[in-house]
Coordinates of all heavy atoms in Angstrom, one line a residue:
I566 N 0.8 -1.2 0.0 CA 0.0 0.0 0.0 C 0.9 1.2 0.0 O 0.6 2.2 -0.8 CB -0.9 0.0 1.2 CG1 -2.0 -1.0 1.1 CG2 -1.6 1.4 1.4 CD1 -2.9 -1.2 2.3
L567 N 1.9 1.3 0.9 CA 2.8 2.4 1.0 C 3.6 2.6 -0.3 O 3.7 3.7 -0.8 CB 3.6 2.3 2.2 CG 2.9 2.3 3.5 CD1 3.9 1.9 4.7 CD2 2.3 3.7 3.8
E568 N 4.1 1.5 -0.8 CA 4.9 1.6 -2.1 C 4.0 2.2 -3.2 O 4.5 3.0 -4.0 CB 5.4 0.2 -2.4 CG 6.5 -0.3 -1.5 CD 6.9 -1.7 -1.7 OE1 6.1 -2.5 -2.3 OE2 8.0 -2.1 -1.3
H569 N 2.8 1.7 -3.3 CA 1.9 2.1 -4.4 C 1.6 3.6 -4.2 O 1.6 4.4 -5.2 CB 0.6 1.3 -4.5 CG 0.8 0.1 -5.2 ND1 1.5 -1.0 -4.7 CD2 0.3 -0.4 -6.4 CE1 1.5 -2.0 -5.6 NE2 0.7 -1.6 -6.6
F570 N 1.3 4.0 -3.0 CA 1.0 5.4 -2.7 C 2.1 6.3 -3.1 O 1.9 7.3 -3.8 CB 0.7 5.6 -1.2 CG 0.6 7.0 -0.9 CD1 -0.6 7.8 -1.2 CD2 1.6 7.7 -0.2 CE1 -0.6 9.2 -0.9 CE2 1.5 9.1 0.1 CZ 0.4 9.8 -0.2
W571 N 3.3 6.0 -2.7 CA 4.4 6.9 -3.0 C 4.7 7.0 -4.5 O 5.1 8.0 -5.0 CB 5.7 6.5 -2.2 CG 5.6 6.8 -0.7 CD1 5.6 5.9 0.3 CD2 5.4 8.1 -0.1 NE1 5.4 6.5 1.5 CE2 5.3 7.9 1.3 CE3 5.3 9.4 -0.6 CZ2 5.2 8.9 2.2 CZ3 5.1 10.4 0.3 CH2 5.1 10.2 1.7
R572 N 4.4 5.9 -5.2 CA 4.6 5.8 -6.6 C 3.6 6.8 -7.3 O 4.0 7.6 -8.1 CB 4.4 4.4 -7.1 CG 4.9 4.2 -8.6 CD 4.8 2.8 -9.0 NE 5.5 1.9 -8.1 CZ 5.0 0.8 -7.5 NH1 3.8 0.4 -7.7 NH2 5.8 0.1 -6.7
Y573 N 2.3 6.7 -6.9 CA 1.3 7.7 -7.4 C 1.6 9.1 -7.0 O 1.6 10.0 -7.8 CB -0.1 7.3 -6.9 CG -0.6 6.0 -7.4 CD1 -1.2 5.1 -6.5 CD2 -0.6 5.7 -8.8 CE1 -1.7 3.9 -7.0 CE2 -1.1 4.5 -9.3 CZ -1.7 3.6 -8.4 OH -2.2 2.4 -8.8
A574 N 2.0 9.3 -5.7 CA 2.2 10.6 -5.3 C 3.4 11.3 -5.9 O 3.4 12.6 -6.1 CB 2.5 10.6 -3.7
G575 N 4.3 10.6 -6.3 CA 5.5 11.1 -7.0 C 5.2 11.7 -8.4 O 6.0 12.4 -8.9
R576 N 4.0 11.4 -8.9 CA 3.6 11.8 -10.3 C 2.8 13.1 -10.2 O 2.5 13.7 -11.3 CB 2.9 10.8 -11.0 CG 3.7 9.4 -11.1 CD 2.7 8.4 -11.6 NE 3.4 7.1 -11.7 CZ 2.7 6.0 -11.9 NH1 1.4 5.9 -12.0 NH2 3.4 4.8 -11.9
V577 N 2.3 13.5 -9.1 CA 1.2 14.6 -9.0 C 1.9 15.9 -8.8 O 3.0 16.0 -8.2 CB 0.1 14.3 -8.0 CG1 -0.5 12.9 -8.3 CG2 0.7 14.4 -6.6
E578 N 1.2 17.0 -9.2 CA 1.6 18.3 -8.9 C 1.4 18.7 -7.4 O 2.3 19.4 -6.9 CB 0.8 19.3 -9.8 CG 1.1 20.8 -9.5 CD 0.1 21.7 -10.3 OE1 -0.6 21.2 -11.2 OE2 0.2 22.9 -10.0
R579 N 0.3 18.2 -6.9 CA -0.1 18.7 -5.5 C -1.0 17.7 -4.9 O -1.8 17.0 -5.6 CB -0.7 20.1 -5.6 CG -1.1 20.7 -4.3 CD -1.3 22.2 -4.5 NE -2.2 22.6 -5.5 CZ -2.5 23.8 -5.8 NH1 -1.9 24.8 -5.2 NH2 -3.4 24.1 -6.7
V580 N -1.0 17.6 -3.6 CA -2.0 16.7 -2.9 C -2.9 17.6 -2.0 O -2.5 18.7 -1.6 CB -1.3 15.7 -2.0 CG1 -0.5 14.7 -2.7 CG2 -0.4 16.4 -0.9
I581 N -4.1 17.1 -1.9 CA -5.1 17.8 -1.0 C -5.5 16.9 0.1 O -5.9 15.7 -0.2 CB -6.3 18.2 -1.9 CG1 -5.9 19.3 -2.9 CG2 -7.4 18.8 -1.0 CD1 -6.0 18.8 -4.3
T582 N -5.5 17.4 1.3 CA -5.9 16.6 2.4 C -6.8 17.4 3.4 O -7.0 18.6 3.2 CB -4.6 16.1 3.3 OG1 -4.0 17.3 3.9 CG2 -3.6 15.5 2.4
F583 N -7.3 16.7 4.4 CA -8.0 17.3 5.5 C -7.2 16.9 6.8 O -7.2 15.8 7.2 CB -9.4 17.0 5.6 CG -10.2 17.7 6.7 CD1 -10.8 18.9 6.5 CD2 -10.2 17.2 8.0 CE1 -11.5 19.6 7.5 CE2 -10.9 17.9 9.0 CZ -11.5 19.1 8.8
N584 N -6.4 17.8 7.3 CA -5.5 17.6 8.5 C -4.4 16.8 8.1 O -3.8 16.1 9.0 CB -6.3 17.0 9.6 CG -5.6 17.2 11.0 OD1 -4.9 18.1 11.2 ND2 -5.7 16.2 11.8
G585 N -4.0 16.8 6.9 CA -2.9 15.9 6.4 C -1.5 16.3 6.9 O -0.7 15.5 7.1
R586 N -1.4 17.7 7.2 CA 0.0 18.1 7.7 C 0.2 17.6 9.1 O 1.4 17.4 9.6 CB 0.1 19.6 7.6 CG 1.6 20.1 7.6 CD 1.7 21.6 7.5 NE 1.0 22.1 6.3 CZ 1.7 22.2 5.2 NH1 2.9 21.8 5.0 NH2 1.1 22.6 4.1
N587 N -0.9 17.5 9.9 CA -0.7 17.1 11.3 C -0.9 15.6 11.5 O -0.4 15.1 12.5 CB -1.8 17.8 12.2 CG -1.4 19.3 12.5 OD1 -0.3 19.6 12.7 ND2 -2.4 20.2 12.3
F588 N -1.5 14.9 10.5 CA -1.7 13.5 10.8 C -1.3 12.6 9.6 O -0.3 11.9 9.7 CB -3.2 13.2 11.0 CG -3.5 11.8 11.3 CD1 -3.0 11.1 12.4 CD2 -4.2 11.0 10.4 CE1 -3.3 9.8 12.6 CE2 -4.4 9.7 10.5 CZ -3.9 9.0 11.7
D589 N -1.9 12.7 8.4 CA -1.7 11.7 7.4 C -0.3 11.7 6.9 O 0.4 10.6 6.7 CB -2.6 12.1 6.2 CG -4.1 12.0 6.6 OD1 -4.5 13.0 7.2 OD2 -4.8 11.1 6.2
I590 N 0.3 12.9 6.6 CA 1.6 12.9 6.0 C 2.7 12.4 7.0 O 3.5 11.5 6.7 CB 2.0 14.3 5.4 CG1 1.1 14.6 4.3 CG2 3.4 14.3 5.0 CD1 1.2 13.7 3.0
P591 N 2.7 12.9 8.2 CA 3.7 12.4 9.2 C 3.6 10.9 9.5 O 4.6 10.2 9.6 CB 3.5 13.3 10.4 CG 2.8 14.5 10.0 CD 2.0 14.1 8.8
F592 N 2.3 10.5 9.5 CA 2.0 9.1 9.8 C 2.6 8.2 8.7 O 3.3 7.2 8.9 CB 0.5 8.9 9.9 CG 0.2 7.5 10.5 CD1 -0.3 7.4 11.8 CD2 0.3 6.4 9.8 CE1 -0.7 6.2 12.3 CE2 0.0 5.1 10.3 CZ -0.5 5.1 11.6
L593 N 2.3 8.6 7.4 CA 2.8 7.8 6.3 C 4.3 7.8 6.2 O 4.9 6.8 5.9 CB 2.2 8.4 5.0 CG 0.7 8.1 4.7 CD1 0.2 9.0 3.5 CD2 0.5 6.7 4.5
M594 N 4.9 9.0 6.5 CA 6.3 9.0 6.4 C 7.0 8.1 7.5 O 8.0 7.4 7.2 CB 6.9 10.5 6.5 CG 6.4 11.3 5.3 SD 7.1 13.0 5.3 CE 8.8 12.6 4.7
M595 N 6.5 8.2 8.7 CA 7.1 7.4 9.8 C 6.8 5.9 9.5 O 7.7 5.1 9.8 CB 6.6 7.9 11.1 CG 7.0 9.3 11.5 SD 8.8 9.5 11.5 CE 9.4 8.3 12.7
R596 N 5.6 5.6 9.2 CA 5.2 4.2 8.9 C 6.0 3.6 7.8 O 6.5 2.5 7.8 CB 3.8 4.1 8.7 CG 3.2 2.7 8.8 CD 3.3 2.1 10.1 NE 3.0 0.7 10.2 CZ 3.3 -0.1 11.2 NH1 3.9 0.4 12.2 NH2 3.0 -1.4 11.1
S597 N 6.3 4.4 6.7 CA 7.1 4.0 5.6 C 8.5 3.7 6.1 O 9.1 2.7 5.7 CB 7.1 5.0 4.5 OG 5.8 5.3 3.9
A598 N 9.1 4.6 6.9 CA 10.4 4.4 7.4 C 10.5 3.0 8.2 O 11.5 2.3 8.1 CB 10.9 5.5 8.3
M599 N 9.5 2.7 9.0 CA 9.5 1.5 9.8 C 9.4 0.3 8.9 O 10.0 -0.8 9.3 CB 8.2 1.5 10.7 CG 8.3 2.6 11.8 SD 6.8 2.7 12.8 CE 6.9 1.1 13.7
L600 N 8.8 0.4 7.7 CA 8.7 -0.8 6.8 C 9.7 -0.7 5.7 O 9.7 -1.5 4.7 CB 7.3 -0.8 6.2 CG 6.2 -1.1 7.2 CD1 4.8 -1.1 6.6 CD2 6.4 -2.5 7.9
K601 N 10.7 0.2 5.8 CA 11.8 0.4 4.9 C 11.3 0.7 3.4 O 11.7 0.2 2.5 CB 12.6 -0.9 4.8 CG 13.1 -1.4 6.1 CD 14.0 -0.4 6.8 CE 14.7 -0.9 8.1 NZ 13.8 -1.0 9.2
V602 N 10.3 1.6 3.4 CA 9.8 2.1 2.1 C 10.2 3.6 2.0 O 10.0 4.4 3.0 CB 8.3 2.1 2.1 CG1 7.7 2.7 0.8 CG2 7.8 0.6 2.2
K603 N 10.9 3.9 0.9 CA 11.4 5.3 0.7 C 10.3 6.2 0.1 O 9.8 6.0 -1.0 CB 12.6 5.3 -0.2 CG 13.2 6.6 -0.5 CD 13.9 7.2 0.8 CE 14.7 8.5 0.4 NZ 15.4 9.0 1.6
P604 N 9.9 7.3 0.8 CA 8.9 8.3 0.3 C 9.6 8.9 -1.0 O 10.8 9.1 -1.1 CB 8.7 9.3 1.4 CG 9.1 8.5 2.6 CD 10.2 7.7 2.2
T605 N 8.8 9.3 -2.0 CA 9.2 9.9 -3.2 C 9.2 11.4 -3.1 O 9.8 12.1 -4.0 CB 8.3 9.5 -4.3 OG1 6.9 9.8 -4.1 CG2 8.4 8.0 -4.6
V606 N 8.4 12.0 -2.1 CA 8.3 13.4 -2.0 C 7.9 13.8 -0.6 O 7.3 13.0 0.1 CB 7.3 13.9 -3.1 CG1 5.9 13.4 -2.8 CG2 7.3 15.5 -3.0
N607 N 8.4 15.0 -0.2 CA 8.0 15.4 1.2 C 6.9 16.4 1.1 O 7.2 17.6 0.6 CB 9.3 15.9 1.9 CG 8.9 16.4 3.3 OD1 7.8 16.4 3.8 ND2 10.0 16.8 4.1
F608 N 5.7 16.1 1.4 CA 4.5 17.0 1.3 C 4.4 17.8 2.6 O 3.4 18.6 2.6 CB 3.3 16.2 1.0 CG 3.2 15.6 -0.3 CD1 3.2 14.2 -0.5 CD2 3.2 16.5 -1.5 CE1 3.1 13.7 -1.8 CE2 3.2 15.9 -2.8 CZ 3.1 14.5 -2.9
M609 N 5.2 17.7 3.5 CA 5.1 18.5 4.7 C 5.3 20.0 4.4 O 4.6 20.9 4.7 CB 6.1 18.1 5.8 CG 5.7 16.8 6.5 SD 4.1 16.9 7.3 CE 4.5 18.1 8.6
G610 N 6.4 20.3 3.7 CA 6.7 21.6 3.2 C 6.8 22.6 4.4 O 7.0 22.3 5.5
K611 N 6.7 23.9 4.0 CA 6.7 25.0 5.0 C 5.3 25.5 5.2 O 4.4 25.4 4.4 CB 7.6 26.1 4.5 CG 9.0 25.7 4.3 CD 9.8 26.9 3.8 CE 11.3 26.5 3.7 NZ 12.1 27.7 3.2
K612 N 5.1 25.9 6.4 CA 3.8 26.5 6.7 C 3.4 27.7 5.8 O 4.3 28.5 5.4 CB 3.8 27.0 8.2 CG 2.4 27.4 8.7 CD 2.4 27.7 10.2 CE 1.0 27.9 10.8 NZ 1.0 28.3 12.2

């Protein structure tokens, strides 16, 4: 799931979330690291 997500995410111009900066993105990045999956892009960015 994580590998497929990062593959799709790496192709898009922008992502849209609801509370993604505080939950979804950090969760995905940390969970990916735990499972040895490399994220393709950092959507945290700057405030």
Side-chain angles (χ1 to χ4, degrees):
I566 290 173
L567 294 170
E568 290 171 338
H569 278 72
F570 169 77
W571 290 117
R572 193 175 304 131
Y573 291 134
R576 303 170 184 165
V577 304
E578 174 187 352
R579 182 161 55 183
V580 294
I581 295 109
T582 67
F583 184 89
N584 198 34
R586 199 181 302 275
N587 284 316
F588 181 69
D589 302 71
I590 295 298
F592 194 107
L593 287 173
M594 294 186 74
M595 294 306 298
R596 194 65 192 162
S597 295
M599 292 174 69
L600 294 177
K601 306 299 187 292
V602 175
K603 180 71 173 179
T605 56
V606 60
N607 183 355
F608 289 117
M609 287 300 292
K611 296 180 180 179
K612 193 173 183 180

